[in-house]
Amino acid sequence: MARTIAVSGTASGIGKTLAGLLREQGDTVIGVDLRDADVCADLGGAEGRAEAVAQVLDLSGGTLDALVACAGVSDFTELPVKVNYFGVVALMEGLRPALARARAPRAAVVGSIAGTHPADDAIVRACLAGDEPAALEAAAKAVAAGAGSRTYPSSKAALARWMRRACVTPEWAGAGIPLNAVAPGVVKTPMSAPLFEDEAMLKVMNEAVPMPLNGYAGPEVIAEALRWLVSPANTHMTGQVVYVDGGAEATLRGPDVF
């Protein structure tokens, strides 16, 4: 049976690949992105988030079978906090009632292996408290102190913790909505392309994300994992961060973390 699925980040990378896979199997996809999408909106601000939710609700008729948040940024500014955490959470919460109206709703977010890397505690705390001004202030302080590289891991760590907290609540599990995350390692997408062009950055990346199984992934690898997580076949998996990372998480954290 064809389903209606909203996917953010469909203009490129993982989101674009996932949208293609879903359409190939007969689903209707409502793509959300800054441009080249069914819904063009900026998830970095409250106005854009509200507009994205409103347009998806309009295009879906108020009922969604699945929702996947792929949109994200990876620079060393405050932007990852705006988009990767507050943008994703606003989209998920804003469209949750539409999911609850479906017969077999599913939801997933895209995390990152970077969520296991050192984070800024003040950013993470403020994110989980839902205090965006405080989170952005903490991120600005980190950037000013030369620790801008922690804003991206912080946004992804906070998102994973939000997902773990929300997934078992009456609003999600109680409404029959599995909520999970896929955490990729290094994926060859337009977002990561600059890293491959800089030998020094490539060396740092390989040390930070060692991938002993088959090396770097293509976007289709992550998209396939997301496709299963939001399929009707997934009836009982919720609250899981699925590391599709070539063994990076197991290498970095070792066998005692599971």
Side-chain angles (χ1 to χ4, degrees):
M1 182 179 295
R3 303 161 77 220
T4 298
I5 302 174
V7 180
S8 70
T10 53
S12 66
I14 296 167
K16 181 177 182 178
T17 303
L18 175 62
L21 290 174
L22 295 172
R23 287 176 176 132
E24 285 174 7
Q25 69 184 26
D27 293 325
T28 296
V29 176
I30 301 172
V32 181
D33 214 313
L34 285 170
R35 60 190 68 84
D36 301 325
D38 303 295
V39 174
C40 294
D42 184 357
L43 298 179
E47 184 177 346
R49 297 163 193 161
E51 182 63 24
V53 169
Q55 288 193 46
V56 171
L57 289 174
D58 181 59
L59 291 172
S60 66
T63 300
L64 277 177
D65 294 293
L67 171 61
V68 185
C70 294
V73 295
S74 62
D75 61 29
F76 293 171
T77 69
E78 298 94 329
L79 193 58
V81 176
K82 293 181 181 180
V83 177
N84 300 355
Y85 184 81
F86 288 99
V88 170
V89 171
L91 195 66
M92 303 302 287
E93 292 290 8
L95 293 173
R96 179 177 48 76
L99 290 168
R101 297 185 190 103
R103 183 179 62 84
R106 306 286 185 265
V109 301
V110 174
S112 174
I113 182 63
T116 66
H117 293 169
D120 185 295
D121 290 340
I123 296 174
V124 175
R125 283 197 306 271
C127 284
L128 293 173
D131 190 340
E132 187 167 4
L136 294 179
E137 181 181 356
K141 288 181 178 178
V143 172
S149 61
R150 293 200 171 191
T151 63
Y152 178 73
S154 298
S155 72
K156 292 298 189 178
L159 181 60
R161 290 176 61 178
W162 170 82
M163 181 276 296
R164 296 273 292 171
R165 183 176 67 186
C167 70
V168 291
T169 63
E171 292 78 14
W172 290 92
I177 311 171
L179 172 62
N180 294 283
V182 168
V186 178
V187 184
K188 288 191 170 183
T189 66
M191 187 172 76
S192 65
L195 298 174
F196 289 95
E197 296 167 0
D198 185 322
E199 288 189 13
M201 286 301 297
L202 184 61
K203 183 176 184 295
V204 171
M205 181 175 68
N206 289 337
E207 291 174 353
V209 188
M211 299 177 66
L213 177 64
N214 296 328
Y216 311 128
E220 68 281 355
V221 175
I222 313 305
E224 286 287 8
L226 288 165
R227 176 161 66 164
W228 185 85
L229 284 175
V230 298
S231 74
N234 176 24
T235 59
H236 284 76
M237 180 186 289
T238 197
Q240 301 307 301
V241 179
V242 182
Y243 290 95
V244 184
D245 63 0
E249 185 270 340
T251 301
L252 294 169
R253 299 208 287 188
D256 295 334
V257 177
F258 58 91

Short mmCIF file of all heavy atoms in Angstrom, two decimals, residues 138-169:
data_model
loop_
_atom_site.label_atom_id
_atom_site.label_comp_id
_atom_site.label_asym_id
_atom_site.label_seq_id
_atom_site.Cartn_x
_atom_site.Cartn_y
_atom_site.Cartn_z
N ALA A 138 25.42 29.71 24.29
CA ALA A 138 26.50 28.77 24.65
C ALA A 138 27.32 28.41 23.41
O ALA A 138 28.55 28.29 23.47
CB ALA A 138 25.91 27.50 25.27
N ALA A 139 26.64 28.24 22.26
CA ALA A 139 27.35 27.93 21.03
C ALA A 139 28.24 29.09 20.61
O ALA A 139 29.38 28.89 20.16
CB ALA A 139 26.35 27.59 19.92
N ALA A 140 27.74 30.32 20.74
CA ALA A 140 28.53 31.50 20.39
C ALA A 140 29.77 31.61 21.26
O ALA A 140 30.85 31.97 20.79
CB ALA A 140 27.67 32.76 20.52
N LYS A 141 29.63 31.28 22.55
CA LYS A 141 30.77 31.30 23.45
C LYS A 141 31.80 30.25 23.04
O LYS A 141 33.01 30.50 23.09
CB LYS A 141 30.31 31.05 24.89
CG LYS A 141 29.56 32.22 25.52
CD LYS A 141 29.16 31.89 26.95
CE LYS A 141 28.45 33.08 27.61
NZ LYS A 141 27.99 32.76 28.99
N ALA A 142 31.33 29.07 22.64
CA ALA A 142 32.24 28.02 22.21
C ALA A 142 33.00 28.46 20.96
O ALA A 142 34.22 28.27 20.86
CB ALA A 142 31.47 26.73 21.93
N VAL A 143 32.30 29.08 20.02
CA VAL A 143 32.94 29.56 18.79
C VAL A 143 33.98 30.62 19.12
O VAL A 143 35.11 30.59 18.62
CB VAL A 143 31.89 30.12 17.81
CG1 VAL A 143 32.57 30.79 16.63
CG2 VAL A 143 30.96 29.00 17.33
N ALA A 144 33.61 31.55 20.00
CA ALA A 144 34.53 32.63 20.36
C ALA A 144 35.77 32.12 21.08
O ALA A 144 36.85 32.71 20.98
CB ALA A 144 33.81 33.64 21.25
N ALA A 145 35.61 30.99 21.79
CA ALA A 145 36.73 30.41 22.52
C ALA A 145 37.58 29.48 21.66
O ALA A 145 38.50 28.82 22.17
CB ALA A 145 36.20 29.65 23.75
N GLY A 146 37.25 29.41 20.37
CA GLY A 146 38.01 28.53 19.48
C GLY A 146 37.57 27.09 19.53
O GLY A 146 38.28 26.20 19.05
N ALA A 147 36.38 26.83 20.10
CA ALA A 147 35.86 25.47 20.19
C ALA A 147 34.62 25.29 19.32
O ALA A 147 33.71 24.52 19.66
CB ALA A 147 35.54 25.13 21.65
N GLY A 148 34.61 25.98 18.18
CA GLY A 148 33.47 25.86 17.28
C GLY A 148 33.27 24.45 16.75
O GLY A 148 32.16 24.08 16.36
N SER A 149 34.32 23.66 16.76
CA SER A 149 34.21 22.28 16.28
C SER A 149 33.29 21.43 17.15
O SER A 149 32.92 20.31 16.77
CB SER A 149 35.59 21.62 16.22
OG SER A 149 36.19 21.59 17.50
N ARG A 150 32.90 21.96 18.32
CA ARG A 150 32.02 21.20 19.21
C ARG A 150 30.54 21.49 18.98
O ARG A 150 29.69 20.81 19.58
CB ARG A 150 32.39 21.47 20.67
CG ARG A 150 33.75 20.91 21.05
CD ARG A 150 33.91 20.73 22.53
NE ARG A 150 35.13 20.01 22.85
CZ ARG A 150 35.43 19.52 24.06
NH1 ARG A 150 34.59 19.71 25.06
NH2 ARG A 150 36.55 18.86 24.26
N THR A 151 30.22 22.48 18.17
CA THR A 151 28.79 22.78 18.00
C THR A 151 28.07 21.67 17.25
O THR A 151 26.92 21.33 17.58
CB THR A 151 28.59 24.13 17.28
OG1 THR A 151 29.15 24.08 15.96
CG2 THR A 151 29.23 25.26 18.07
N TYR A 152 28.70 21.10 16.24
CA TYR A 152 28.06 20.02 15.48
C TYR A 152 27.88 18.76 16.34
O TYR A 152 26.75 18.24 16.44
CB TYR A 152 28.86 19.71 14.22
CG TYR A 152 28.29 18.56 13.41
CD1 TYR A 152 27.12 18.72 12.68
CD2 TYR A 152 28.94 17.32 13.38
CE1 TYR A 152 26.60 17.67 11.94
CE2 TYR A 152 28.43 16.27 12.63
CZ TYR A 152 27.25 16.45 11.91
OH TYR A 152 26.74 15.40 11.18
N PRO A 153 28.94 18.24 16.99
CA PRO A 153 28.74 17.08 17.87
C PRO A 153 27.70 17.35 18.96
O PRO A 153 26.92 16.46 19.30
CB PRO A 153 30.12 16.84 18.48
CG PRO A 153 31.08 17.42 17.50
CD PRO A 153 30.37 18.62 16.93
N SER A 154 27.69 18.56 19.48
CA SER A 154 26.72 18.90 20.53
C SER A 154 25.30 18.81 20.01
O SER A 154 24.39 18.31 20.69
CB SER A 154 26.99 20.30 21.07
OG SER A 154 28.27 20.38 21.66
N SER A 155 25.09 19.31 18.78
CA SER A 155 23.73 19.27 18.21
C SER A 155 23.27 17.84 18.00
O SER A 155 22.10 17.51 18.24
CB SER A 155 23.69 20.06 16.90
OG SER A 155 24.38 19.38 15.85
N LYS A 156 24.17 16.98 17.56
CA LYS A 156 23.80 15.59 17.30
C LYS A 156 23.66 14.78 18.59
O LYS A 156 22.80 13.89 18.69
CB LYS A 156 24.82 14.94 16.37
CG LYS A 156 24.82 15.51 14.96
CD LYS A 156 23.50 15.29 14.25
CE LYS A 156 23.58 15.67 12.77
NZ LYS A 156 22.31 15.42 12.05
N ALA A 157 24.48 15.08 19.59
CA ALA A 157 24.35 14.40 20.88
C ALA A 157 23.02 14.77 21.53
O ALA A 157 22.31 13.91 22.08
CB ALA A 157 25.51 14.78 21.80
N ALA A 158 22.67 16.06 21.47
CA ALA A 158 21.41 16.51 22.04
C ALA A 158 20.23 15.87 21.31
O ALA A 158 19.24 15.47 21.94
CB ALA A 158 21.32 18.03 21.98
N LEU A 159 20.33 15.76 19.99
CA LEU A 159 19.24 15.16 19.23
C LEU A 159 19.04 13.69 19.60
O LEU A 159 17.90 13.24 19.76
CB LEU A 159 19.53 15.28 17.73
CG LEU A 159 18.46 14.71 16.79
CD1 LEU A 159 17.13 15.42 17.00
CD2 LEU A 159 18.91 14.80 15.34
N ALA A 160 20.13 12.95 19.76
CA ALA A 160 20.02 11.54 20.15
C ALA A 160 19.38 11.41 21.52
O ALA A 160 18.53 10.54 21.74
CB ALA A 160 21.40 10.88 20.14
N ARG A 161 19.74 12.30 22.43
CA ARG A 161 19.16 12.24 23.78
C ARG A 161 17.69 12.64 23.76
O ARG A 161 16.87 12.07 24.50
CB ARG A 161 19.98 13.11 24.72
CG ARG A 161 21.36 12.53 25.00
CD ARG A 161 22.22 13.43 25.86
NE ARG A 161 21.64 13.67 27.19
CZ ARG A 161 22.22 14.38 28.13
NH1 ARG A 161 23.41 14.93 27.89
NH2 ARG A 161 21.66 14.54 29.31
N TRP A 162 17.34 13.63 22.94
CA TRP A 162 15.92 14.00 22.81
C TRP A 162 15.13 12.80 22.29
O TRP A 162 14.05 12.48 22.81
CB TRP A 162 15.76 15.18 21.85
CG TRP A 162 14.32 15.41 21.52
CD1 TRP A 162 13.40 16.09 22.27
CD2 TRP A 162 13.60 14.88 20.38
NE1 TRP A 162 12.15 16.03 21.65
CE2 TRP A 162 12.25 15.29 20.51
CE3 TRP A 162 13.98 14.11 19.28
CZ2 TRP A 162 11.28 14.95 19.56
CZ3 TRP A 162 13.01 13.76 18.34
CH2 TRP A 162 11.68 14.18 18.49
N MET A 163 15.66 12.14 21.26
CA MET A 163 14.98 11.00 20.68
C MET A 163 14.78 9.89 21.69
O MET A 163 13.69 9.32 21.81
CB MET A 163 15.79 10.50 19.47
CG MET A 163 15.18 9.32 18.72
SD MET A 163 15.58 7.69 19.44
CE MET A 163 17.36 7.63 19.22
N ARG A 164 15.82 9.62 22.48
CA ARG A 164 15.74 8.56 23.49
C ARG A 164 14.71 8.90 24.58
O ARG A 164 14.02 8.02 25.08
CB ARG A 164 17.12 8.37 24.14
CG ARG A 164 18.19 7.86 23.20
CD ARG A 164 18.21 6.36 23.11
NE ARG A 164 18.65 5.76 24.36
CZ ARG A 164 18.60 4.45 24.62
NH1 ARG A 164 18.11 3.64 23.70
NH2 ARG A 164 19.02 3.97 25.75
N ARG A 165 14.62 10.17 24.89
CA ARG A 165 13.67 10.62 25.91
C ARG A 165 12.24 10.61 25.39
O ARG A 165 11.31 10.18 26.08
CB ARG A 165 14.05 12.03 26.37
CG ARG A 165 13.18 12.60 27.49
CD ARG A 165 13.71 13.96 27.92
NE ARG A 165 13.56 14.96 26.87
CZ ARG A 165 14.05 16.20 26.95
NH1 ARG A 165 14.74 16.57 28.03
NH2 ARG A 165 13.86 17.06 25.97
N ALA A 166 12.06 11.09 24.16
CA ALA A 166 10.71 11.23 23.61
C ALA A 166 10.10 9.90 23.19
O ALA A 166 8.87 9.72 23.28
CB ALA A 166 10.75 12.18 22.41
N CYS A 167 10.92 8.97 22.74
CA CYS A 167 10.41 7.78 22.06
C CYS A 167 9.47 6.93 22.91
O CYS A 167 8.59 6.25 22.37
CB CYS A 167 11.56 6.92 21.55
SG CYS A 167 12.51 6.11 22.87
N VAL A 168 9.64 6.95 24.23
CA VAL A 168 8.83 6.09 25.10
C VAL A 168 7.68 6.84 25.77
O VAL A 168 6.99 6.28 26.63
CB VAL A 168 9.71 5.43 26.18
CG1 VAL A 168 10.66 4.42 25.56
CG2 VAL A 168 10.52 6.48 26.97
N THR A 169 7.45 8.07 25.37
CA THR A 169 6.37 8.86 25.98
C THR A 169 5.02 8.48 25.39
O THR A 169 4.93 7.86 24.32
CB THR A 169 6.61 10.36 25.75
OG1 THR A 169 6.58 10.62 24.33
CG2 THR A 169 7.94 10.81 26.34
#
